[in-house]
Every structure is written in C-alpha cells, then in structure tokens.
Amino acid sequence: MFAERLDRVRRRMAELGVDVLVVSVGADLPWLCGYEAMPLERLTALVVPRDDAATLVVPALEAPRVVERPDVFRLRPWGETEDPVAIVAELVPEPAVAGIGDQMWSRFLIALMQRWTRTRFRRAGEVTAPLRAVKDPDEIAALRAAAAAVDRIAERLRTGEIPLVGRSEAEVSAELGRQILAEGHHRVNFAIVAAGANAASPHHEPGERIIGKGEVVLCDFGGTMAGPGGVGYCSDITRCVWLGEPPSAFVELYEVLQAAQAEGVKAARAGVPAAEVDRVTRARIDEAGYGAFFVHRTGHGIGVEAHEDPYIVEGNEELLVAGHAFSIEPGIYVPGRWGARLEDIVVAGPDGPDPLNRVGHELAVLDV
Ligand code: ZN
Ligand code: ZN
Ligand code: ZN
C-alpha cells in the first residue's frame, strides 16, 4: 500500500517537475510511510527523491517507534550531536525543485534553504493533497467506522442518555472526549459544546457555563481511529439538542438548516464542482433570509487530517470525483441569541452521495 502510494507520488512529482519531497510532521508522513512524527524540536523527515529510494531521517531515540518497511524507505537515525538538516541536504545535493511538507517547521526549512541555495521551493501539498483527497475502499471503510463510532455518541446525546442540564459545557466536552476514546478512536481531536448564545460562535471553546433548560446545545466532536496500515482516519459530526420546548423561531431556523444540509448531501456526487455543493446549500439558507448568519464554507475534506482537500467553498470549481470524502456542515448563527449547525461526512460515491453519518438529523427535543 505505501509502496503503491509512493509510486503515485513519484509520477505526480514527474508531472510537476519536483525533484525531491521533504515531508516532516503532518498527515503526509503517515500517509506515505505509516509513521507519525512527534512535533519535536528534533527533525523527522521523509526524503523522497523522484528517482531514488526514500529515506526516513529520524532522531535515534525515536527510531524504536518506527515500523521498518524496507520496500518503502530506508531508515537513517541521527544521533544527538549530528545535524539532521545536513543529513537531509546531503541525501539529494542541490535539487532544482524541492517540495516541502506543508507543516514542516520554518526552523528546519530555513536551515535547509541555507544549504540548498539554488533550489526552488514548492509546497509538498501540491503533490500530495490531490492524491490524499481521493480515498481508496480501505480508507473509506476506516472513515465509515469512525463515523459510526461518533454516530453512537450522537445518538446518546439525542436521547438524553448523556445528561446535559446542570452540567458545564466543559464537563460535557470531557465526557464526549471519553466516549470518543471508548468507541475505538485513539485520539480526541475536539469536542465543542456550546449552549444557548454560545452556539452562535462556530468554534466556541467549552467553558464553565452551566447548561440549562430552554436552550440549544450544539455539539461538534471527532477523533482519530486507526485504519489501513495503522494510519489514523478522522471522524467529525455536529448535532444540536434543544432542552425543553423549542420556540417556533428556532424550530423554523433549524428546519431551514436541515433542508439546506440535505440539499448539500444530495448534490455531493462525482462530476459536480465542489463550489456547486456550497452554492445549493447556501441558496436554501439565503432564500429563507438567514444568509448573513451562515458565516463559513459548507465543508472540508477529511481523511488522515481532520481538515484537508477538497474544500467545499465558493471559488473551488474543482470537480468532485468518486472517493472524495468531505463534510457538509452548514450553520446559522444569530449573535447574542442562538445558533445551530448540522454536519455529516459524505463520500462522493460512484453512484451518488454516500453519507457516512446516519444518526437522526432532525432537531433533538428533550423533555427535561
Ligand atoms: Zn469547524
Ligand atoms: Zn465538526
Ligand atoms: Zn467539520
């Protein structure tokens, strides 16, 4: 699997005229070689020359964590008194064009630029992002398993099995985190819990505010679960619960949101521009007069990284292809009052949209 990915990466390097990739922390590294680097001041880098074997340059003390794959890369552990940037630079002397991992720390890139003085630098993401965006069946199975896990948690929120009233947002967020792990993820990526007017802030930081009756609670959470080759794949879901009897103004707002989200999912098929999915979702919200309150793009790709290509946003005329996986997550945020968002992960399947999250979409109304 990794060798096959490297083949595809090298073909694209040839197309784009990139001589070497240097990939450090971030999602490209595990996707390419199954190893995830810690974000440390010690450099880890996979060096992929277009026409030569790849080398994983890794701090010697991290080397025991590496699953060796001689068909994919050779290992070059470096000791505490060695200069890892010099090791990288000497693997490929003065390449004409180098692609640098999007999250590589500038301290390493700048040191590398001082050694490769005639090299032109590009983003490795130009090579890898379009490849990573199209998921193979095993990757889709991993995303589906992660989605099913957060669906089970969302169902407990929607039925009141996870208590909300009288607890702080932070307490509920911690509980969601524990359940994300208990449901088989190995990492919690985020667990937004926003009550009442806090739900008008899309990325609200859960705090000490106590959740009460007569308000909305927006929960947006996800984690990372091991998939093919031990590489992690992400989940991401948003559902809203109303505690008590919802006012008609909120019921109307939510109906618009639910219809818009369903329109977006329906449009998410191969051959459709990403921007078109955003347009049809947004149109429904605009028509109902809430357009000014939908303040973000409709969605983002998802895979090894929680947010990656393709972005479902105005201006991205890239055509969706079978295997693209992304969120459809419109929101309506009325500052000072309330807000709502509804999010599923959807795969553009060969025969139309394949929504991975199946838990109920209507507003969950809890008798409290
Ligand atoms: Zn978000
Ligand atoms: Zn989310
Ligand atoms: Zn999302």
Side-chain angles (χ1 to χ4, degrees), residues 190 220-221 236-238 300 329 341 343:
F190 51 86
D220 181 353
F221 50 99
D236 187 1
I237 188 172
T238 309
H300 54 83
E329 53 174 309
R341 177 164 66 254
E343 173 178 28

Short mmCIF file of all heavy atoms in Angstrom, two decimals, residues 190 220-221 236-238 300 329 341 343, ligand 2:
data_model
loop_
_atom_site.label_atom_id
_atom_site.label_comp_id
_atom_site.label_asym_id
_atom_site.label_seq_id
_atom_site.Cartn_x
_atom_site.Cartn_y
_atom_site.Cartn_z
N PHE A 190 -11.32 17.11 18.94
CA PHE A 190 -12.02 18.28 19.50
C PHE A 190 -13.38 17.81 19.97
O PHE A 190 -13.90 16.79 19.51
CB PHE A 190 -12.18 19.40 18.45
CG PHE A 190 -12.78 18.90 17.18
CD1 PHE A 190 -14.14 18.83 17.02
CD2 PHE A 190 -11.97 18.46 16.14
CE1 PHE A 190 -14.69 18.32 15.86
CE2 PHE A 190 -12.51 17.94 14.97
CZ PHE A 190 -13.88 17.88 14.83
N ASP A 220 -20.11 19.44 18.51
CA ASP A 220 -19.33 19.14 17.30
C ASP A 220 -18.06 18.44 17.76
O ASP A 220 -17.25 19.03 18.47
CB ASP A 220 -19.00 20.45 16.57
CG ASP A 220 -18.21 20.23 15.29
OD1 ASP A 220 -17.79 19.09 15.00
OD2 ASP A 220 -18.01 21.23 14.57
N PHE A 221 -17.93 17.17 17.42
CA PHE A 221 -16.82 16.40 18.01
C PHE A 221 -16.29 15.37 17.03
O PHE A 221 -16.95 14.97 16.07
CB PHE A 221 -17.27 15.73 19.31
CG PHE A 221 -18.56 14.95 19.21
CD1 PHE A 221 -18.56 13.57 19.04
CD2 PHE A 221 -19.78 15.60 19.28
CE1 PHE A 221 -19.74 12.86 18.94
CE2 PHE A 221 -20.99 14.89 19.18
CZ PHE A 221 -20.96 13.52 19.01
N ASP A 236 -15.92 13.41 12.40
CA ASP A 236 -16.31 14.80 12.63
C ASP A 236 -17.82 14.88 12.44
O ASP A 236 -18.32 14.59 11.34
CB ASP A 236 -15.57 15.70 11.62
CG ASP A 236 -15.77 17.19 11.88
OD1 ASP A 236 -16.46 17.54 12.84
OD2 ASP A 236 -15.21 17.98 11.09
N ILE A 237 -18.55 15.23 13.48
CA ILE A 237 -20.01 15.27 13.40
C ILE A 237 -20.52 16.44 14.24
O ILE A 237 -19.90 16.78 15.25
CB ILE A 237 -20.64 13.95 13.89
CG1 ILE A 237 -22.15 13.92 13.63
CG2 ILE A 237 -20.33 13.69 15.38
CD1 ILE A 237 -22.80 12.56 13.92
N THR A 238 -21.62 17.05 13.81
CA THR A 238 -22.30 18.06 14.64
C THR A 238 -23.78 17.73 14.72
O THR A 238 -24.42 17.47 13.69
CB THR A 238 -22.15 19.48 14.06
OG1 THR A 238 -20.77 19.74 13.80
CG2 THR A 238 -22.69 20.52 15.04
N HIS A 300 -15.32 20.69 4.43
CA HIS A 300 -13.89 20.45 4.24
C HIS A 300 -13.68 18.97 3.99
O HIS A 300 -14.44 18.13 4.49
CB HIS A 300 -13.12 20.86 5.50
CG HIS A 300 -13.65 20.21 6.76
ND1 HIS A 300 -13.29 18.94 7.14
CD2 HIS A 300 -14.55 20.64 7.68
CE1 HIS A 300 -13.93 18.62 8.26
NE2 HIS A 300 -14.71 19.63 8.61
N GLU A 329 -21.59 20.84 6.29
CA GLU A 329 -21.89 21.34 7.62
C GLU A 329 -22.31 22.80 7.65
O GLU A 329 -21.61 23.65 8.20
CB GLU A 329 -20.70 21.12 8.56
CG GLU A 329 -19.36 21.66 8.06
CD GLU A 329 -18.27 21.52 9.14
OE1 GLU A 329 -18.51 21.97 10.26
OE2 GLU A 329 -17.21 20.97 8.82
N ARG A 341 -25.81 24.10 13.86
CA ARG A 341 -25.03 23.55 12.75
C ARG A 341 -25.39 22.08 12.64
O ARG A 341 -25.74 21.45 13.65
CB ARG A 341 -23.53 23.74 13.00
CG ARG A 341 -22.63 23.13 11.93
CD ARG A 341 -21.18 23.63 11.98
NE ARG A 341 -20.44 23.24 13.15
CZ ARG A 341 -20.11 24.05 14.15
NH1 ARG A 341 -20.46 25.31 14.12
NH2 ARG A 341 -19.42 23.61 15.19
N GLU A 343 -23.86 18.60 10.71
CA GLU A 343 -22.68 18.15 9.96
C GLU A 343 -22.64 16.64 9.81
O GLU A 343 -22.73 15.89 10.78
CB GLU A 343 -21.40 18.59 10.69
CG GLU A 343 -20.12 18.02 10.06
CD GLU A 343 -18.84 18.49 10.74
OE1 GLU A 343 -18.88 18.79 11.95
OE2 GLU A 343 -17.81 18.56 10.04
ZN ZN B 2 -17.21 19.37 13.02
#
